[in-house]
């Protein structure tokens, strides 16, 4: 009986190890695509569908961030957040081009394309992948109660992120300026919405990997680091998973994305 119990425990440990190895393999991310969309935008449903396709591509994190600036057209977007609108405008400020529109896909925090233009999106993905901006691996693991996020050391060529006019705290003076910030995005995998008014009246649109919040986890100083999050914070009620993004810049003006990871199943 003891021998049988020991074998069962060993088998459980092996299965757990295999499942986490699979999870780690799924997290070899080379591209992050953020779609800024709106239920009040008649040009957006084809982009929403394309984002759904991209979500199934290996090595791609595809996220939907509904904006609120078309709400005045007669239909208030049921998934929109002013913080997503601010993020989109922050990207435009970082690029210096004032290009804020829907549907817009932003790839790796740098390049943007019309979200319904498949060729333009694929070209942007290929260009960013070749540029190798996503150069810092992130790995996730969980014991059921806590999510552990392991961030690799910075490769050569990543400079310090210095916020103008900011005085460094004592611990930051010792570590040096941060090279990036780790952000958490809880995600609803799939949301079907029937739109009652506005340009898409009567349509049912399926949204994929809808972001339900953006939370700062901590600063990254270029060295190997591990961050820990309570599972119920990473995946709150109503969400199916979560994404972690390591990014330069600030919350107000986001910069290039250096690395990303997603929970299994996204």
């Amino acid at each position: 009986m003891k021998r049988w119990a020991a074998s069962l425990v060993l088998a459980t440990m092996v299965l757990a190890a295999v499942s986490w190895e699979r999870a780690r393999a799924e997290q070899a991310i080379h591209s992050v695509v953020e779609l800024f969309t709106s239920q009040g935008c008649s040009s957006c449903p084809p982009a929403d569908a394309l984002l759904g396709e991209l979500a199934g591509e290996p090595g791609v994190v595809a996220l939907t961030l509904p904006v609120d600036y078309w709400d005045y057209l007669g239909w208030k977007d049921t998934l929109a957040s002013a913080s997503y609108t601010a993020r989109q405008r922050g990207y435009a400020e970082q690029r210096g081009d004032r290009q804020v529109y829907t549907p817009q896909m932003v790839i790796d925090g740098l390049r943007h394309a019309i979200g319904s233009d498949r060729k333009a999106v694929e070209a942007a993905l290929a260009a960013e992948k070749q540029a190798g901006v996503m150069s810092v691996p992130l790995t996730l693991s969980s014991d059921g109660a806590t999510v552990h996020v392991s961030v690799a050391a910075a490769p050569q060529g990543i400079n310090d992120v210095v916020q103008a006019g900011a005085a460094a705290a004592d611990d930051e003076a010792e570590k040096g300026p941060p090279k990036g910030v780790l952000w958490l995005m809880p995600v609803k995998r799939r949301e079907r919405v029937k739109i009652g008014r506005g340009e898409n009246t009567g349509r049912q649109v399926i949204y994929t990997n809808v972001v339900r919040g953006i939370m700062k986890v901590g600063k990254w100083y270029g060295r190997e680091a591990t961050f820990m999050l309570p599972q119920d914070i990473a995946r709150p009620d109503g969400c199916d998973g979560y994404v972690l993004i390591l990014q330069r810049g600030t919350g107000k003006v986001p910069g290039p994305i250096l690395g990303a990871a997603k929970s299994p199943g996204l």
Side-chain angles (χ1 to χ4, degrees), residues 40-168:
C41 161
S42 61
S43 303
C44 287
D48 300 320
L50 178 56
L51 193 281
E53 293 181 36
L54 293 174
E57 292 289 329
V60 175
V61 169
L63 300 169
T64 296
L65 294 98
V67 297
D68 63 354
Y69 48 79
W70 296 128
D71 285 359
Y72 74 93
L73 293 178
W75 176 256
K76 183 176 174 60
D77 194 301
T78 60
L79 301 172
S81 169
S83 64
Y84 308 155
T85 299
R87 183 172 176 83
Q88 185 185 24
R89 288 174 174 158
Y91 275 136
E93 182 177 343
Q94 173 236 125
R95 295 190 307 265
D97 60 14
R98 299 185 179 182
Q99 293 292 305
V100 176
Y101 57 89
T102 57
Q104 183 182 50
M105 287 189 185
V106 176
I107 292 88
D108 297 345
L110 287 172
R111 195 179 299 259
H112 70 98
I114 297 173
S116 55
D117 188 336
R118 182 183 295 269
K119 288 185 178 180
V121 170
E122 290 176 347
L125 281 166
E128 290 303 322
K129 185 177 180 180
Q130 185 175 6
V133 176
M134 300 271 292
S135 57
V136 182
L138 273 61
T139 305
L140 301 182
S141 63
S142 174
D143 58 13
T146 304
V147 176
H148 301 260
V149 187
S150 298
V151 182
Q156 292 184 349
I158 295 183
N159 298 320
D160 296 333
V161 176
V162 180
Q163 189 172 347

Side-chain angles (χ1 to χ4, degrees), residues 12-52:
T12 302
M13 291 173 64
V14 169
L15 286 172
V18 169
S19 66
W20 276 117
E21 285 304 317
R22 287 176 180 168
R24 290 189 180 99
E26 290 176 0
Q27 292 163 8
I29 306 300
H30 58 71
S31 299
V32 174
V33 181
E34 298 173 73
L35 171 62
F36 296 94
T37 184
S38 172
Q39 295 168 16
C41 161
S42 61
S43 303
C44 287
D48 300 320
L50 178 56
L51 193 281

